[in-house]
């Protein structure tokens, strides 16, 4: 099986995305292959959304009643561990899920400031009313 970082198709995807910097992708499943994708990036920065494992497991129970809470917590742990491993040595910003829920504009402002401090340019902090509408 060909690795992602050896794939011409994957290189082309990154090339297309790089034409629109800064760009972001958000898919929890990417955690499982992030280490391979990272090899294709010339300026990666990780944004890790941290959520309590039992909170994730509890919310996932809605989608699959035949998987236990402990199994969902284990899935979260595997995803989170893979994400941390892929981001090791790379600039990393952490956003707390609980902060996004309880204080969305504060969390977005902190995220904006952290990304800017990490060297990401071209960002605009959205107005508070726009964040609160989300």
């Amino acid at each position: 099986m060909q690795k992602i970082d050896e794939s011409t198709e994957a290189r082309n995807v990154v090339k297309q995305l790089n034409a629109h910097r800064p760009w972001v992708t958000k898919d929890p499943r990417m955690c499982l292959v992030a280490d391979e994708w990272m090899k294709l990036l010339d300026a990666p920065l990780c944004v890790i959304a941290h959520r309590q494992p039992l909170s994730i497991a509890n919310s996932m129970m809605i989608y699959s009643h035949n998987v236990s809470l402990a199994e969902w917590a284990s899935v979260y742990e595997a995803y989170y561990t893979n994400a941390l491993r892929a981001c090791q040595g790379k600039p990393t910003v952490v956003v707390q899920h609980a902060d996004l829920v309880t204080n969305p504009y504060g969390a977005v402002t902190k995220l904006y400031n952290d990304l800017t401090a990490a060297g990401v340019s071209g960002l605009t902090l959205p107005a508070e009313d726009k964040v609160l509408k989300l």
Side-chain angles (χ1 to χ4, degrees):
M1 177 181 233
Q2 184 180 35
K3 291 186 174 188
I4 292 169
D5 56 300
E6 298 170 352
S7 161
T8 300
E9 292 85 357
R11 281 192 209 100
N12 287 337
V13 166
V14 170
K15 184 177 179 180
Q16 290 174 19
L17 290 170
N18 282 346
H20 305 283
R21 289 180 192 232
W23 58 269
V24 64
T25 183
K26 188 254 179 226
D27 183 338
R29 297 169 296 185
M30 288 290 289
C31 293
L32 301 176
V33 292
D35 57 334
E36 292 183 37
W37 281 99
M38 289 289 191
K39 295 172 186 171
L40 297 175
L41 305 178
D42 60 1
L45 180 138
C46 296
V47 177
I48 300 202
H50 181 265
R51 188 172 176 187
Q52 294 299 323
L54 288 178
S55 176
I56 288 276
N58 191 42
S59 68
M60 293 309 294
M61 293 292 291
I62 295 168
Y63 302 107
S64 181
H65 300 290
N66 61 344
V67 178
S68 74
L69 196 63
E71 289 172 305
W72 279 121
S74 178
V75 168
Y76 174 83
E77 182 179 0
Y79 277 53
Y80 201 78
T81 300
N82 280 341
L84 292 175
R85 186 178 299 117
C87 294
Q88 188 173 18
K90 295 166 183 65
T92 300
V93 171
V94 177
V95 61
Q96 298 293 330
H97 179 268
D99 293 343
L100 286 168
V101 173
T102 60
N103 181 11
Y105 190 68
V108 167
T109 300
K110 181 183 181 309
L111 180 59
Y112 170 83
N113 290 333
D114 290 350
L115 289 170
T116 302
V120 179
S121 60
L123 300 178
T124 303
L125 180 64
E128 185 173 6
D129 63 319
K130 290 186 178 185
V131 172
L132 296 178
K133 284 181 185 177
L134 293 173

